[in-house]
Structure formats: structure tokens, C-alpha cells
């Protein structure tokens, strides 16, 4: 099994110390997670993201670390003193000067739910539009966070031709999932799918066509239900196996088939070459 964690915030302080993050990457490797995408959340953390990515590439070379730069709706408030034109310049500069390994733009999007309520909706839409401009210019996919804002997001995505994007940690309905997929976008499922009582993500997971499905941990947040105990457990990329199994079960398939499909989809949307035939047959001697 070879899995691709399309969303892991290994750059954030909540992911632990540098040595804890290296250990997490090693456990990911042992579990068959051989690609990890670290999204950016705010200009203040973009340099740290590149530092962490370089450190993990040096210490755990068999896991491919990919990156993205973007501004998450929760962090928009940090930029309240900046004009949109200044934020546009920051984003353009970060994308233009990004080292190898940048495969997407984000995390960005809209949050009209309780947590995103503090940020004016007009400001959220203006920042989403900045990310959309860059995606259209570069052809890179967006990593989209969307809570209670799907009508506006769909309207902005369809305002002009947009590269295929990723709806991260999808929490919408099966109907909405189909709408995004018909528009050429991808749907990524996170830990909520491991809650057997959460009917909505299970129904959405069944509605996504094989070629549009992705999986992610959103670590260190969203610890899968299957790993929750009396003590708080920090989520990490190795737990992607649980999400793959739950998603496979919802779709009536097996985890190996689902891993092959979702990993191939991730390579397609992020424009990555497939590993060599040898590596695919037995990545790092991990055949199980
Ligand atoms: Zn995220």
C-alpha cells in the first residue's frame, strides 16, 4: 500500500518539536505514506514551512515532502492592516520564489461557520479571489477550506476557467460532492470519515467518482475516531491508513485498491511523476 497524505500541517508548532516531526515522518514511511503535502496558512509561517520541509527531506528521504503556500481563512485577521494589493504581492512573490516541491496554492478558502465568523465575508472572498488569480495564472491547484460557504465558493470557482482544485476535509453533502466533481475538482476526506455514525461524510465518500477521490489527515488536527482514547492523541500522517480503510469500507472496496486510486489521483492533480516501477512495486522494502 502506497498512500499520499494530501494535507498535513507538519509546519505548525502544534505538530511537535522538530525531532517529533521527524519521528512522525518515519512512522508515516513505515505505514506506507510515502508522499505528504504540507499546506501554508499565513505569510508569517511560510519560511518555517520551507525549513521543516527541508529538514524532513534530509532526515527521512524516502518520504516525498511537497509544499503549498496560501492564507487560511482563520489567519486572515493577522493581515488586517494590509491592503489587498500588498497581500497579492506577498503571495505572488512566495509562489514565484518557491523552492522545488511547491505543488499547489493554499490552504485558502471561505469559512462562514462559527470559527470563521470573526472575519468579514467580503474580506474572505477578496482573499479567495487572490488565490484564484494565482491558480489561473500558474495552473496550480488550490487547496480549499470551505465551511458553510459552498454557494459562494462554487460561484467564484466558476467565474472563470479554473484549474482542478482540492476540496480539503470535505464536510458537504453527497450532492455537493457531485457538483464539485462534475466541475473537474477533487474531494479529499479526513478523520471525520472514521466516525461510523457520521452519515454525511460516508454518503459523500460514496458519491465521488474513483478519479476524483483523495485522502488526508489534516494533522495535527482531526485525530481519527479510531485513534481517540482517554488521552488526547496528536494526529499524524501515519493515521492516514485508518482514513483509507474507512473510506474504502464506505465505498465497498478494499484499502489497497483505494490507496492505488487516491495516490494516482494525487499525482495527477499535483502534476507529479509516478515513482519508478521498482519503487512502486516495493517502496523502501515496505511490501506488506
Ligand atoms: Zn488545513
Amino acid at each position: 500500500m502506497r498512500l499520499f497524505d494530501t494535507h498535513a500541517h507538519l509546519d505548525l508548532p502544534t505538530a511537535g518539536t522538530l525531532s517529533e516531526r521527524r519521528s512522525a515522518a518515519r512512522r508515516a514511511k513505515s505505514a506506507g505514506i510515502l508522499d505528504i503535502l504540507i499546506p501554508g496558512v499565513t505569510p508569517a509561517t511560510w519560511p518555517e514551512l520551507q525549513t521543516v520541509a527541508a529538514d524532513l527531506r534530509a532526515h527521512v528521504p524516502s518520504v516525498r515532502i511537497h509544499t503549498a503556500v496560501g492564507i487560511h481563512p482563520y489567519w486572515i485577521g493577522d493581515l488586517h492592516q494590509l491592503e489587498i494589493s500588498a497581500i497579492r504581492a506577498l503571495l505572488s512573490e512566495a509562489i514565484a520564489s518557491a523552492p522545488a516541491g511547491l505543488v499547489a496554492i493554499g490552504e485558502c478558502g471561505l469559512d462562514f461557520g462559527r470559527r470563521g465568523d470573526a472575519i468579514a465575508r467580503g474580506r474572505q472572498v477578496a482573499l479567495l479571489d487572490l488565490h484564484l488569480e494565482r491558480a489561473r495564472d500558474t495552473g496550480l491547484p488550490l487547496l480549499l477550506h470551505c465551511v458553510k460557504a459552498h454557494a459562494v465558493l462554487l460561484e467564484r470557482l466558476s467565474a472563470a476557467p479554473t484549474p482542478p482544485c482540492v476540496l480539503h476535509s470535505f464536510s458537504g453533502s453527497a450532492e455537493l460532492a457531485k457538483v464539485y466533481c462534475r466541475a473537474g475538482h477533487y474531494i479529499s476526506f479526513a478523520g471525520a470519515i472514521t466516525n461510523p455514525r457520521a452519515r454525511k461524510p460516508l454518503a459523500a465518500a460514496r458519491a465521488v467518482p474513483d478519479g476524483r477521490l483523495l485522502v488526508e489527515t489534516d494533522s495535527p488536527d482531526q485525530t481519527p475516531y479510531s485513534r481517540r482514547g482517554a488521552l488526547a492523541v496528536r494526529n499524524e500522517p501515519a493515521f492516514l491508513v485508518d482514513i483509507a480503510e474507512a473510506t474504502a469500507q464506505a465505498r465497498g472496496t478494499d484499502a489497497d485498491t483505494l490507496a492505488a486510486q487516491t495516490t494516482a489521483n494525487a499525482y495527477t492533480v499535483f502534476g507529479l511523476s509516478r515513482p519508478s516501477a521498482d519503487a512502486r512495486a516495493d517502496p523502501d522494502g515496505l511490501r506488506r
Side-chain angles (χ1 to χ4, degrees), residues 22 60 66 92 114 142 173 177-178 198 216:
R22 288 177 197 157
V60 195
H66 315 283
S92 300
R114 199 166 40 85
L142 294 180
S173 66
K178 287 184 203 164
E216 63 170 79

Side-chain angles (χ1 to χ4, degrees), residues 7-9 12 39-41 72 74-75 106-108 143-145 168-169 216-219 221-222:
H7 203 104
H9 293 282
L12 296 183
V41 295
H72 189 297
Y74 298 161
W75 275 269
E107 176 174 1
C108 56
L143 307 175
L144 290 163
H145 168 109
H168 124 79
S169 187
E216 63 170 79
T217 57
D218 198 22
S219 52
D221 288 338
Q222 297 208 56

Side-chain angles (χ1 to χ4, degrees), residues 71-77 84 87 107-132 144-150 152-153 156:
I71 301 162
H72 189 297
Y74 298 161
W75 275 269
I76 289 175
I84 290 293
I87 302 174
E107 176 174 1
C108 56
L110 301 172
D111 194 314
F112 296 172
R114 199 166 40 85
R115 269 188 84 182
D117 231 18
I119 309 294
R121 292 184 179 187
R123 181 84 167 168
Q124 293 196 38
V125 173
L127 262 82
L128 169 67
D129 280 347
L130 284 187
H131 290 83
L132 275 163
L144 290 163
H145 168 109
C146 186
V147 175
K148 297 192 189 303
H150 289 288
V152 181
L153 178 59
R156 301 315 301 149

